[in-house]
Amino acid sequence: MRACMIVLSAMLAGLSVPAWAATDTRITADELVAKNLEARGGADKLRAITSMHTLGKMRLGGGLEAKTETFAMAPGHFRQELSLQGLTAVQSWDGQQAWAINPFEGRRDPQKLSGDDTKDLVQSADIAGPLLDAQKKGERIEYLGTEDIDGTDAHKLRVTYRNGDSRVIYLDPDQFLEIRVVDHRVVRGQEQVQTTDLGEYEKVDGVYFPFEQGQNHIESAELNKPVDAALFALLRASESPHGRVLDDASRAGGVAAVGIEGQGAVGAGLG
């Protein structure tokens, strides 16, 4: 019996465990946040971001791909564009008012968005994401333990925003980068849940961002370039993105409707 116990002890001693488990099995939310911020490039570099511009594509299914472009400017501006077959849809938040143009649904004029319809854009305007300076933003972060995500025992953090909505963030146990986010929003009295898998991290000016974000693939990104605040302002009815006149909806080539609602949650950074 003693010999068996010695062999068993030797086998157990040889098992590898994650670094965090070997040092502290009672890891806290604050520690996980600190590890995540450090893995992404450091809190100071994240705070120093003044703007972000991305180009990419959205996979729409059926072989269709739309071109995407996003602009974000600290502390709270965001704009996203989706272009397909000669048409461009726009959603924008200027820090106070959100608006949209959706020619795919026959709406060529800018339409103001109100209340619940602005939530996605407001979150996207937070370039560094909710884990940076959460307390100053009035957010609450809780550690929910671990959960298996495609074979990875990921750490779960829940961020509760000031408006009561929340995001569950799954962190890789080795790299401490986000691999999935699940947003819970109340829209017109009904809870909406949106899951986005993240991956293919690339370094942009010393900061790591996921270039795969659900249906979205970022092809290029740049930080801290000058952005005109007028880009986020409500357009005149006759104007399109960057001052071009929008094409008629009849030129959509048979595409009845392409929505971009809900696609900007992590389209720029991790907001």
Side-chain angles (χ1 to χ4, degrees), residues 10 32 56 64 76 100 107 185 188:
L32 284 171
L64 282 177
R107 296 196 294 268
R185 301 188 186 96
R188 286 177 280 281

Side-chain angles (χ1 to χ4, degrees), residues 73 77 79 92 94 99 227-235 239:
M73 185 175 71
H77 296 68
R79 173 179 174 134
S92 184
D94 67 3
W99 56 273
V227 177
D228 187 352
L231 185 66
F232 308 94
L234 184 65
L235 294 174
E239 289 183 335

Side-chain angles (χ1 to χ4, degrees), residues 189-260:
Q190 300 293 320
E191 183 183 33
Q192 293 186 356
V193 180
Q194 178 180 331
T195 299
T196 306
D197 289 327
L198 308 174
E200 300 296 328
Y201 277 81
E202 295 190 23
K203 185 180 284 189
V204 182
D205 293 342
V207 180
Y208 281 98
F209 290 95
F211 274 45
E212 286 290 335
Q213 305 179 6
Q215 293 175 263
N216 298 298
H217 171 71
I218 295 176
E219 297 176 330
S220 66
E222 56 184 0
L223 300 178
N224 302 323
K225 303 296 184 182
V227 177
D228 187 352
L231 185 66
F232 308 94
L234 184 65
L235 294 174
R236 295 191 300 272
S238 61
E239 289 183 335
S240 74
H242 312 304
R244 297 188 301 272
V245 177
L246 285 169
D247 295 331
D248 291 335
S250 60
R251 294 182 57 191
V255 177
V258 178
I260 59 176

Side-chain angles (χ1 to χ4, degrees), residues 37-68:
L37 297 179
E38 183 63 28
R40 289 162 57 195
D44 289 341
K45 285 187 177 180
L46 289 166
R47 291 191 188 99
I49 297 174
T50 59
S51 68
M52 185 171 188
H53 173 229
T54 73
L55 293 171
K57 61 185 177 183
M58 181 188 295
R59 297 174 286 265
L60 301 173
L64 282 177
E65 288 186 347
K67 294 182 179 180
T68 61

Side-chain angles (χ1 to χ4, degrees), residues 99-265:
W99 56 273
I101 298 173
N102 194 346
F104 301 104
E105 295 181 354
R107 296 196 294 268
R108 299 177 63 245
D109 295 341
Q111 305 288 325
K112 290 184 179 181
L113 302 178
S114 61
D116 294 340
D117 294 325
T118 69
K119 289 181 175 181
D120 187 49
L121 294 169
V122 173
Q123 280 186 219
S124 299
D126 187 358
I127 303 173
L131 296 185
L132 179 69
D133 298 328
Q135 188 172 4
K136 292 181 180 179
K137 301 171 189 173
E139 302 164 352
R140 185 175 72 256
I141 300 178
E142 307 165 82
Y143 180 45
L144 303 180
T146 61
E147 182 177 328
D148 183 272
I149 301 296
D150 299 328
T152 297
D153 201 22
H155 292 290
K156 293 172 61 178
L157 292 173
R158 179 167 60 205
V159 179
T160 302
Y161 299 99
R162 294 170 62 182
N163 63 5
D165 292 341
S166 66
R167 168 178 286 186
V168 177
I169 299 173
Y170 295 82
L171 301 180
D172 180 89
D174 299 313
Q175 304 299 323
F176 297 99
L177 294 171
E178 293 92 330
I179 59 175
R180 174 176 291 177
V181 296
V182 180
D183 287 297
H184 298 258
R185 301 188 186 96
V186 177
V187 178
R188 286 177 280 281
Q190 300 293 320
E191 183 183 33
Q192 293 186 356
V193 180
Q194 178 180 331
T195 299
T196 306
D197 289 327
L198 308 174
E200 300 296 328
Y201 277 81
E202 295 190 23
K203 185 180 284 189
V204 182
D205 293 342
V207 180
Y208 281 98
F209 290 95
F211 274 45
E212 286 290 335
Q213 305 179 6
Q215 293 175 263
N216 298 298
H217 171 71
I218 295 176
E219 297 176 330
S220 66
E222 56 184 0
L223 300 178
N224 302 323
K225 303 296 184 182
V227 177
D228 187 352
L231 185 66
F232 308 94
L234 184 65
L235 294 174
R236 295 191 300 272
S238 61
E239 289 183 335
S240 74
H242 312 304
R244 297 188 301 272
V245 177
L246 285 169
D247 295 331
D248 291 335
S250 60
R251 294 182 57 191
V255 177
V258 178
I260 59 176
E261 183 176 354
Q263 297 302 326

